[in-house]
Amino acid sequence: MDYSNIFRLVNLAVGGLMVMGGIGQFFPIGFQSVILGCYVIIFGAATILLEFQIPPPVSRWAPFLFSFIGRGIFYIFVGSILLHKPAIWIVAGSMIGIVGVGYVILEYIPQIEPPQNMRDAGGEWGAEQI
């Protein structure tokens, strides 16, 4: 069964949550919160972009995004950045982290193949060879 559309929707939703969480990081305004907010927004935008096109440098410099376990750990990391008050960001961070845990688990289920956009790493580390 082809789960590509499901993975695409999940990744787009996670990217959207990252962007919204990054915007929420700005408040209350402080140096650390602005820096973290910018990083989370960039990570969210990159996650969304990877669903539509894969720039060549990404497969070279971020090959971990092309495997379930790499993307799962990345989602867990970004989700943990968003775990702070108010409760809406705790929920958003938790959802991103749960998706990350799910992706890590999917790495060990051979019946579920990664979607095509997660197999384009060009055979480098983290690329699924099918």
Side-chain angles (χ1 to χ4, degrees), residues 63-129:
F64 59 88
L65 292 174
F66 298 98
S67 70
F68 280 133
I69 196 165
R71 195 173 284 216
I73 291 171
F74 175 68
Y75 285 173
I76 292 168
F77 170 71
V78 175
S80 68
I81 291 174
L82 295 176
L83 290 176
H84 66 88
K85 292 182 180 179
I88 187 78
W89 302 127
I90 293 174
V91 171
S94 298
M95 290 171 57
I96 294 170
I98 289 169
V99 170
V101 169
Y103 271 22
V104 169
I105 291 169
L106 287 176
E107 178 73 21
Y108 300 103
I109 301 176
Q111 295 85 3
I112 299 179
E113 295 181 8
Q116 185 62 38
N117 68 336
M118 287 177 64
R119 288 187 246 154
D120 288 339
E124 296 178 20
W125 181 85
E128 295 290 332
Q129 298 296 320

Side-chain angles (χ1 to χ4, degrees), residues 32-44:
Q32 181 180 4
S33 59
V34 169
I35 297 296
L36 283 176
C38 289
Y39 273 112
V40 174
I41 290 170
I42 290 168
F43 291 157

